[in-house]
Amino acid sequence: MSADTSLAEPSARAGQEKADRTARRRSALLRPGAPWQLPVVIVLVAIGSALVTPGFLAADNIRAILITSSVTGVVAVSMTAVTLSGHFFSLSTEQTALLGAMLFAWLVGSDTPVLLALLVTLAVVALTGVVQGVVVAIGLNPIITTLAAGSVIGGLVAGISHNENIMTGDASLSWLGTAQPLGIPAVVIIFALVTILCTFVSSGTVIGRQTLLTGANSKAAVLAGVPVKVVAVVVFAMVATGSGLAGIMTASTLGYASTAMFATLTFDVIAAVLVGGTSIQGGSGSPLRSAGGAILISEINSLMLLNNVTSGMRMLVQGALVLAVIALLHTRRTR
Amino acid sequence: MRGLGLRLVDAVKPYALQIVLLIGLWWGFSATTPLFTGISSVYAVVEGFAVLGLISVGLLVPVLAGELDLSVAAMAALAGGIAVRVAGLGLVPALAIATLAGLVIGAIQGGVLSRLGISSVVFTIGTMLGLQGLAFLVSDNAALPLEDFSVSDPLLNRWSFLSPSSLVAIAVFGLVWFLLACTKIGREVYAFGGGRREAAAAGVSQLRVMVVAFAVCGGCAALAGAMASIKSGSSTPGGYTDLLLIAPAAILVGGINLDGGRGTVINVVLGVAIISVVRSGLGFRGVESYIVDLAVGGLLLVFVVADFFIQRAAGQRSRARTARRVLTG
């Protein structure tokens, strides 16, 4: 503001300030990555896809898109806290999901009550997350830690199971795959519930606030008395639990668990978080965005599958989408 | 005489932990694995340099600059496809074209990273997805076999414990050593990794450092993938995923901190040798590949955690010594 505006009439100054604020609000709305944009993109892509691919908007296809996005989505939503806290990503989600699927299938297959099996599995996978969180909290690189932890978990699971499929052997579980209350598949409902829960934890609880502050400025967080080490442990426990849950969902739906599952999960999840627009540096974003990212990617994949696009091309498109989003959204917010 | 001895001790001291680990593991494996002895075990370990070594020494340059490149495995897969596609031109042109592609893609990555100023971890995850897709496209979505297998013949030679690929790798190690130790850009990479603001203030160009670092990394990964694919007779577009872990593992176990600014090619040689001993030692015992992954992952975790506490203890000792000196005058 120049000197003569400050000398202007008070009412004129107030008018100027009001105009400034509106302008700022308008530019915040137009900024790439504003919250309203992702849902609009999802709808536009759906409309565009329906124009070029008849049957895209059929109820069955929409259901299929939501079902495929739900496993990736649950992990992406629970991964968001890791990204928000400034610890980038967990690269062990694939193996943790595998652990969850195999352990759950084995427990249920050996006649453990379903609820007990669920709790035991979630507790075990959460523990793997706690261990990784502790290692990251003492100051090791999260990427390397989770990569190494992933290969250890994957190796143990493959070693103990001898790479054999494990059947859940219990027909009462298949409702997870077939039940459709109000026409919505059960896994999609779980995805929605996990999204609501994670969004609530992220924005409505103390630990969620502390996670955001840690990611926004870890030095300031330490000075403000935020237990940044506890934050690290909690966020890695969250992503591990989410991955384990995704494993349980898959094992229940398919009726078995196999070490061949989840081969592309880790990078699908990262793509979903990035496309959702959560800041890589941490500190801004939300699990809800990651859920949107997962749905958008699943939508585009469905479009390509319906048009017989090869798997290489699909990967290329996914990579290009991620890079485009990074270039559009994540550069301006650098500090 | 005494001066020389001391100088030798000083030269070896930074690598003492790695040397002890290497000798211990090698001894352990040769004592417990009947087949892991003599020239064949040395050959197996040195062969590890052809792929893992090449990729790790390339990765060293961005790591020294304080960056990480997670796209190396996909780059190797893509270069393998390119090399097999153009293998009709002959072995050397095929390798050269694939390596050149890697250099160019790497240079572009470095340039874009420098322009955007974002985390290389995140950006290279994006490029990894893209390159992986390209690798499948180049190979027609499957393992693409060589049309003329005689192209790979020269690579199948073996002299004692050396092979053409490991000799190429050793030559590249020499080149990277020269680049880092004897050239201006090498010193700029160290300066940039050691302190970005200070380096920029001293006139180091971020763009130049990033372009060179990622070009070297991409070129090395591409050469490794191209040689491996031609040698095995087909491209593996979905292959090399294990390198995502073991290439950074070799660098870390070699004693290099990912913060950047510190480390030499010798660290990488030792790190690659240690990982290679574990992999080939377990391979000679005929264990499954997931056990190898488990062992490498476990070794890496134990090593970095232990190293962290050793460094911290050393830091506290040196701080205590300084405090004592200050207090006693």
Side-chain angles (χ1 to χ4, degrees), chain A residues 142-160:
Chain A
I143 297 291
I144 301 298
T145 305
T146 52
L147 258 180
S151 75
V152 172
I153 296 171
L156 283 175
V157 171
I160 293 172

Side-chain angles (χ1 to χ4, degrees), chain A residues 70-71 74 176 187-188 190-191 244-254:
Chain A
S70 61
V71 168
V74 163
L176 249 179
V187 283
V188 178
I190 297 179
F191 174 28
L245 182 61
I248 294 173
M249 284 158 65
T250 310
S252 314
T253 329
L254 300 179

Side-chain angles (χ1 to χ4, degrees), chain B residues 208-288:
Chain B
R208 217 159 82 98
V209 169
M210 297 285 268
V211 167
V212 170
F214 282 86
V216 171
C217 187
C220 286
L223 179 58
M227 280 201 300
S229 282
I230 291 194
K231 194 173 179 181
S232 67
S234 84
S235 71
T236 44
Y240 305 105
T241 45
D242 58 334
L243 285 168
L244 194 61
L245 171 69
I246 60 173
I251 286 187
L252 282 160
V253 172
I256 294 174
N257 191 311
L258 290 185
D259 293 341
R262 269 175 216 199
T264 65
V265 170
I266 311 284
N267 288 111
V268 181
V269 171
L270 288 167
V272 172
I274 290 169
I275 303 282
S276 191
V277 165
V278 172
R279 291 177 87 200
S280 47
L282 288 172
F284 271 67
R285 300 173 75 112
V287 303
E288 304 249 16

Side-chain angles (χ1 to χ4, degrees), chain A residues 88-89 91 135 138 140-141 143-145 147-149 151-152 155-156 158-159 162-163 267 270-271 274 280 310-313 315-316 318-319 322-323 326-327 330-331 334, chain B residues 68 70 116-119 121-123 125-134 136-137 141 244-245 248 252 258 288 290-291 293-294 296-298 300-301 304-305 308-309:
Chain A
F88 297 123
F89 304 110
L91 295 189
V135 176
I138 65 172
L140 293 173
N141 183 308
I143 297 291
I144 301 298
T145 305
L147 258 180
S151 75
V152 172
L156 283 175
H162 301 293
N163 269 332
F267 293 105
I270 291 175
L274 285 174
I280 318 157
T310 61
S311 63
M313 192 48 123
M315 258 187 248
L316 188 63
Q318 190 171 333
V322 168
L323 287 176
I326 291 175
H330 297 287
T331 48
T334 50
Chain B
L68 203 56
L70 294 178
L116 297 184
I118 54 172
S119 154
V121 168
V122 177
F123 187 75
I125 284 179
T127 50
M128 185 202 76
L129 291 171
L131 292 178
Q132 189 79 67
L134 271 184
F136 274 98
L137 284 187
N141 293 306
L244 194 61
L245 171 69
L252 282 160
L258 290 185
E288 304 249 16
Y290 55 80
I291 300 289
D293 285 352
L294 182 130
V296 173
L300 176 63
L301 271 186
V304 287
V305 172
F308 176 81
F309 284 110

Side-chain angles (χ1 to χ4, degrees), chain A residues 77-314:
Chain A
V77 162
S78 61
M79 171 96 96
T80 312
V82 173
T83 315
L84 283 174
S85 71
H87 291 299
F88 297 123
F89 304 110
S90 163
L91 295 189
S92 60
T93 56
E94 179 184 324
Q95 293 85 353
T96 312
L98 193 60
L99 172 65
M102 297 291 257
L103 182 59
F104 182 72
W106 178 74
L107 283 172
V108 172
S110 49
D111 291 332
T112 316
V114 173
L115 191 64
L116 183 66
L118 187 76
L119 291 177
V120 169
T121 308
L122 289 182
V124 170
V125 291
L127 188 67
T128 64
V130 168
V131 172
Q132 293 172 58
V134 168
V135 176
V136 173
I138 65 172
L140 293 173
N141 183 308
I143 297 291
I144 301 298
T145 305
T146 52
L147 258 180
S151 75
V152 172
I153 296 171
L156 283 175
V157 171
I160 293 172
S161 68
H162 301 293
N163 269 332
E164 279 164 19
N165 291 359
I166 300 182
M167 302 292 161
T168 52
D170 190 338
S172 72
L173 264 179
S174 59
W175 62 266
L176 249 179
T178 53
Q180 299 194 348
L182 305 173
I184 306 168
V187 283
V188 178
I189 294 176
I190 297 179
F191 174 28
L193 289 177
V194 172
T195 307
I196 293 169
L197 180 70
C198 286
T199 310
F200 170 72
V201 169
S202 166
S203 55
T205 63
V206 174
I207 189 75
R209 288 279 164 200
Q210 289 176 334
T211 305
L212 276 172
L213 182 53
T214 308
N217 188 339
S218 67
K219 271 182 208 149
V222 172
L223 291 177
V226 171
V228 289
K229 295 189 175 174
V230 175
V231 166
V233 174
V234 169
V235 296
F236 280 99
M238 261 177 88
V239 66
T241 313
S243 312
L245 182 61
I248 294 173
M249 284 158 65
T250 310
S252 314
T253 329
L254 300 179
Y256 73 97
S258 130
T259 46
M261 286 171 167
F262 309 116
T264 61
L265 181 68
T266 296
F267 293 105
D268 288 348
V269 167
I270 291 175
V273 174
L274 285 174
V275 170
T278 289
S279 161
I280 318 157
Q281 268 89 5
S284 101
S286 94
L288 200 54
R289 283 172 166 268
S290 306
I295 293 174
L296 179 61
I297 288 178
S298 169
E299 195 181 14
I300 295 174
N301 263 327
S302 161
L303 171 68
M304 291 193 285
L305 274 173
L306 289 176
N307 289 297
N308 296 322
V309 175
T310 61
S311 63
M313 192 48 123
R314 287 206 303 275

Side-chain angles (χ1 to χ4, degrees), chain B residues 143-233:
Chain B
L144 186 72
L146 273 178
E147 275 170 18
D148 175 11
F149 281 93
S150 63
V151 175
S152 61
D153 285 349
L155 283 178
L156 301 174
N157 283 325
R158 178 181 161 176
W159 309 284
S160 172
F161 59 89
L162 291 170
S163 72
S165 0
S166 61
L167 278 175
V168 169
I170 291 168
V172 172
F173 268 77
L175 281 175
V176 174
W177 172 82
F178 177 80
L179 178 82
L180 288 172
C182 306
T183 65
K184 179 164 171 255
I185 185 73
R187 278 194 295 277
E188 287 182 344
V189 168
Y190 278 104
F192 187 70
R196 237 155 239 217
R197 226 170 284 163
E198 292 80 350
V204 173
S205 147
Q206 169 174 350
L207 183 68
R208 217 159 82 98
V209 169
M210 297 285 268
V211 167
V212 170
F214 282 86
V216 171
C217 187
C220 286
L223 179 58
M227 280 201 300
S229 282
I230 291 194
K231 194 173 179 181
S232 67

